[in-house]
Amino acid sequence: MQSFEYNANPGRVIFGSGSLQKLPDEVARLNLKAPLLLSTPQQIEQAEGLKAILNGKVAGLFSEATMHTPTHITDKALEYAKEQKADSVISIGGGSTIGLGKAISIRTGLPHICIPTTYAGSEMTPILGETADGQKKTRSDPKILPGTVIYDVDLVMTLPPALSATSGVNAIAHAVEALYARNTNPIMCLLARKGIKALAEALPEIVQDPSGQAARSNALYGAWLCATCLGSVGMALHHKLCHTLGGSFNLPHAETHTIVLPHALSYNAPAIPEAMRQLARALPESDGDAIKGLNVLLTKLKVKRGLKDFGMKEADIDRAADIAVGNPYWNPREIERGPIRELIRRCWAGEEARADL
């Protein structure tokens, strides 16, 4: 066995149907009196539900969380938190709201309780991505990690099948890159394989029958495992490309991850034979070929495969390639502009992934 290092991230997880009702106990356990509730404009209703569960004992509700965590929104939320004398933040939603919670928490030291309503995984990571002046920058700090995460399956029962699909593939991407991370280890590989398998089996069931609780529960469980991978080991080409494309061209997060993943894997495939074997075993109907397994999964999920469907222009491909190769980062295969440009072109055009990059 190869030598490795393993660091377990601290954090408390409460998982299960109806676990949201344990929120008052968790607030009391942490000796908090005035939590600030955070949501996007679309999820105010769910935030109001938290207020009811807490019997109105909140500092206030800030509902302007938005994609890619722009710093001007964070500044506005910080001002509001100060005015309302908040002693903590509770974020309910996906990556946008959780990102805002992290941004407030790291700047103020306020405890952060997280209630995810998607499979994106930000809740289990000490990573914060923020956008300022059209550039997205990412940093990592153990203090960014939320203290408590409540996974209530009931909250994802109404997640639309299309969003469940892209959010779920976003989660799978975390585990895929964990299999070949520079600092991967046997524990992360176990979690990655289990998380990928749970999601790859559950997501097509959700698309077929959105009301099935067993599939929803398995998907949320898989998402937690995949998120733990994201929070514990370094990511590579796939995540760097998604940050580049999302932050620079204002593309939707989960959809971008879904489109890029099989192509990024195709690029890295020659350098990661063992990871490809592990991934093929975790993906149904792969027939020993991980790229085929991902193509089959995305076909079953009926997702859009082209970035052009989300507003990226063909003229943007060269600039995206320049940004992608501009900031050096670790990847199992050396970053070369020619193949990276072709990878991005295939993502833009919506082509199936092929192992010939």
Side-chain angles (χ1 to χ4, degrees):
M1 176 172 281
Q2 290 182 322
S3 56
F4 63 88
E5 293 179 10
Y6 170 65
N7 290 301
N9 281 330
R12 175 172 159 83
V13 170
I14 302 168
F15 187 100
S17 175
S19 56
L20 192 58
Q21 299 304 319
K22 296 178 182 174
L23 180 60
D25 294 341
E26 193 59 23
V27 169
R29 188 185 75 83
L30 295 167
N31 200 27
L32 303 172
K33 308 289 183 201
L36 174 64
L37 308 181
L38 304 174
S39 79
T40 59
Q42 294 79 25
Q43 289 187 288
I44 289 178
E45 205 174 307
Q46 285 182 307
E48 291 285 0
L50 295 186
K51 189 175 175 182
I53 289 169
L54 292 167
N55 293 318
K57 295 174 184 171
V58 300
L61 165 58
F62 184 86
S63 62
E64 294 176 45
T66 191
M67 205 164 58
H68 305 305
T69 319
T71 51
H72 70 276
I73 296 289
T74 300
D75 292 341
K76 191 174 177 183
L78 282 166
E79 193 61 37
Y80 182 64
K82 197 173 167 186
E83 283 170 13
Q84 300 299 112
K85 297 183 170 58
D87 66 2
S88 54
V89 288
I90 300 176
S91 58
I92 184 164
S96 300
T97 309
I98 294 167
L100 177 61
K102 287 176 166 184
I104 294 169
S105 180
I106 191 64
R107 284 167 169 81
T108 60
L110 296 181
H112 181 193
I113 298 173
C114 228
I115 304 161
T117 59
T118 71
Y119 307 129
S122 174
E123 67 279 356
M124 295 303 295
T125 77
I127 304 161
L128 172 61
E130 300 182 281
T131 307
D133 305 320
Q135 286 283 322
K136 188 162 188 177
K137 293 187 176 166
T138 304
R139 59 176 162 146
S140 183
D141 185 318
K143 296 190 188 83
I144 290 171
L145 188 75
T148 302
V149 180
I150 298 176
Y151 287 106
D152 190 333
V153 180
D154 299 352
L155 292 174
V156 292
M157 290 302 296
T158 54
L159 195 64
L163 184 52
S164 299
T166 54
S167 184
V169 177
N170 181 14
I172 286 172
H174 310 328
V176 167
E177 290 224 297
L179 289 172
Y180 55 77
R182 178 166 44 175
N183 58 340
T184 194
N185 59 69
I187 301 297
M188 283 305 114
C189 287
L190 281 170
L191 295 180
R193 291 196 302 268
K194 185 78 174 169
I196 292 165
K197 190 170 189 296
L199 278 160
E201 290 175 352
L203 294 174
E205 289 183 37
I206 291 168
V207 169
Q208 290 296 319
D209 177 17
S211 63
Q213 193 179 34
R216 294 278 191 179
S217 187
N218 286 338
L220 193 59
Y221 172 66
W224 168 45
L225 297 180
C226 293
T228 303
C229 294
L230 176 67
S232 304
V233 295
M235 298 287 115
L237 174 66
H238 168 79
H239 282 75
K240 297 295 181 183
L241 275 179
C242 291
H243 272 281
T244 294
L245 294 165
S248 302
F249 303 102
N250 202 36
L251 298 168
H253 185 84
E255 290 84 350
T256 302
H257 272 271
T258 300
I259 290 165
V260 171
L261 180 60
H263 297 286
L265 191 68
S266 300
Y267 182 92
N268 280 332
I272 52 166
E274 178 51 32
M276 295 297 283
R277 280 191 289 272
Q278 292 188 60
L279 182 56
R281 287 198 293 271
L283 290 168
E285 297 178 53
S286 71
D287 298 328
D289 177 349
I291 294 166
K292 179 191 173 188
L294 277 176
N295 279 329
V296 167
L297 177 62
L298 297 190
T299 300
K300 281 186 185 174
L301 298 181
K302 303 169 186 170
V303 292
K304 289 180 179 177
R305 300 287 298 266
L307 293 173
K308 64 182 181 182
D309 295 324
F310 298 99
M312 185 177 175
K313 297 178 174 57
E314 191 170 9
D316 294 332
I317 294 171
D318 278 308
R319 186 160 77 92
D322 290 339
I323 299 169
V325 300
N327 297 323
Y329 49 87
W330 182 86
N331 190 61
R333 176 182 166 186
E334 192 179 343
I335 302 297
E336 305 166 64
R337 192 188 185 283
I340 290 290
R341 187 198 184 282
E342 174 58 13
L343 186 167
I344 294 169
R345 189 202 65 75
R346 291 178 186 183
C347 292
W348 172 81
E351 295 173 12
E352 277 213 336
R354 310 188 296 279
D356 60 358
L357 281 166

